[in-house]
Amino acid sequence: MPTVLATLGYLALTLLLTYPISVAPATRAMSVDPDAYLIMWMFSWDAHALVSQPLSIFDANIYYPERLTLAYSENMLGNALLAAPVLWVTDNPVLAVNFVALLSCVLCGLGAYLLARRLGLSAPAAFLAGVVFAFAPPRFLRISQGHLTVHWVPFALAYLHGYFEHGRPKDLRLAIMFFSLQALSSGHGAVFAAAAMAGLA
């Protein structure tokens, strides 16, 4: 039950702190700059390619006749998996980008909460840790930059810590899964996750 309450708390804070985006996510872009357009295109391409040509997803529709052009930048496939259902249903890239950005806040909070609880903090202290990680200005003010998301890092650390503490293979598999999701979501985040996991080890 404390985890459910913490999740609801992070959701409420996300909706409050991202106003007015949170009340009009389908029509208000978090930013209007080259990064925003790039991320909308990437999510749109990934969602299209996942159902039409999944084995050739890196052969994106730019820089013809060059091949594998999705690899020229962050591919954000991990985040595209979150954005794709929104795009398939609504065909609205602004909504898809906002959905991933807002969900990232909730996941950052929840992941940090889970990690703090695994480290022995009380539920209120763990909730505060989640607030700091999810909404600290250096991270929160860049939530529109989908290629900088780090929401899977605390999950990977939590399960790696669980593996070292209890030796359960399931925890190690989950740590690897969350690290893989982070690597697919953001190369920057993958470096941070690898460094943090190495430090923990």
Side-chain angles (χ1 to χ4, degrees):
M1 191 57 160
T3 304
V4 173
L5 291 175
T7 304
L8 292 174
Y10 298 131
L11 177 59
L13 284 170
T14 297
L15 295 176
L16 177 68
L17 295 173
T18 60
Y19 178 85
I21 300 293
S22 59
V23 296
T27 56
R28 288 180 178 263
M30 285 203 181
S31 64
V32 181
D33 57 32
D35 277 346
Y37 291 117
L38 176 65
I39 292 165
M40 283 189 275
W41 168 77
M42 278 187 191
F43 284 170
S44 297
W45 168 257
D46 289 345
H48 161 77
L50 283 170
V51 294
S52 64
Q53 56 183 68
L55 298 180
S56 300
I57 196 167
F58 280 89
D59 286 322
N61 60 348
I62 56 172
Y63 302 129
Y64 181 82
E66 292 296 315
R67 296 193 63 239
L68 305 175
T69 52
L70 187 63
Y72 286 11
S73 181
E74 293 273 10
N75 59 65
M76 292 194 290
L77 287 171
N79 286 335
L81 295 174
L82 302 174
V86 177
L87 283 162
W88 293 332
V89 171
T90 68
D91 198 30
N92 185 334
V94 173
L95 179 60
V97 169
N98 286 338
F99 174 76
V100 172
L102 298 177
L103 183 61
S104 177
C105 293
V106 177
L107 289 173
C108 278
L110 181 60
Y113 174 87
L114 177 63
L115 175 59
R117 292 293 282 159
R118 288 283 176 101
L119 293 172
L121 273 67
S122 67
F127 181 79
L128 182 59
V131 170
V132 170
F133 185 66
F135 305 108
R139 201 207 71 77
F140 185 68
L141 294 177
R142 300 186 76 163
I143 62 171
S144 66
Q145 295 176 298
H147 55 288
L148 299 178
T149 55
V150 292
H151 46 260
W152 300 121
V153 173
F155 290 96
L157 290 171
Y159 284 104
L160 184 61
H161 181 271
Y163 173 71
F164 288 142
E165 189 171 32
H166 303 293
R168 294 185 298 248
K170 178 184 175 183
D171 284 336
L172 182 59
R173 287 194 294 271
L174 286 168
I176 292 169
M177 180 191 79
F178 283 118
F179 174 77
S180 299
L181 282 170
Q182 182 58 65
L184 287 170
S185 300
S186 164
H188 299 77
V191 173
F192 301 147
M197 293 171 82
L200 176 59

